[in-house]
Amino acid sequence: MKFNYADFEVVKTIALTFPNTEESVSHEGTPSVKVRGKLMCRLHDSGEFIPIRLDFDIRDKYLDSHPEIFHLPDHFKAYPYICMWIHNYNQKLLTEILELSWKGLSTKKQVKEYEEKNKL
């Protein structure tokens, strides 16, 4: 297990801006963020990437459109996760992905309240 907690800081900081998120610890002591007790994202214990929970159809769209940022190891193919390389990402895109992840884990009421609060 070779990972650096600092590699997760930017992701964690953005993820924790969404309502009802909480900092946690996951597999092999890696840092993570959860929504309603469910894993939203974490630093993989290899230290190379960050699995982010994302519905399959949305995941496939981002895998196709941003192959330099996202990948899908064989182990994750059967699960609703996309994996982001830790040192090759765009902060705006990361925020977009984390918001989609959050929406997928939150209740309909929480999403509605969030969207109403954040209307421009």
Side-chain angles (χ1 to χ4, degrees):
M1 311 304 155
K2 296 182 180 180
F3 58 88
N4 181 348
Y5 288 97
D7 291 333
F8 191 66
E9 282 302 308
V10 171
V11 176
K12 179 180 77 173
T13 299
I14 294 170
L16 290 174
T17 65
F18 298 102
N20 304 306
T21 53
E22 62 183 359
E23 190 172 351
S24 187
V25 177
S26 289
H27 309 284
E28 305 297 336
T30 58
S32 65
V33 174
K34 294 183 178 180
V35 178
R36 300 183 320 126
K38 297 175 185 172
L39 184 64
M40 177 181 179
C41 58
R42 73 176 184 98
L43 178 61
H44 190 265
D45 43 283
S46 69
E48 296 176 359
F49 59 90
I50 296 170
I52 302 170
R53 186 176 177 92
L54 205 59
D55 292 339
F56 289 105
D57 55 334
I58 300 170
R59 172 185 85 178
D60 293 342
K61 174 186 148 192
Y62 284 97
L63 284 169
D64 291 342
S65 64
H66 297 87
E68 73 285 359
I69 297 173
F70 302 111
H71 69 291
L72 194 62
D74 287 339
H75 170 75
F76 286 91
K77 288 183 180 178
Y79 302 100
Y81 285 90
I82 193 169
C83 297
M84 181 188 78
W85 297 111
I86 59 168
H87 296 297
N88 190 26
Y89 66 88
N90 168 297
Q91 193 162 336
K92 182 179 176 188
L93 181 61
L94 172 59
T95 301
E96 181 180 315
I97 293 290
L98 290 172
E99 181 176 3
L100 290 168
S101 178
W102 175 82
K103 285 180 176 180
L105 291 166
S106 296
T107 65
K108 290 180 183 179
K109 180 181 178 186
Q110 290 169 332
V111 171
K112 182 179 177 183
E113 289 171 355
Y114 173 81
E115 290 177 343
E116 287 174 357
K117 180 182 174 188
N118 291 293
K119 282 184 182 177
L120 298 176

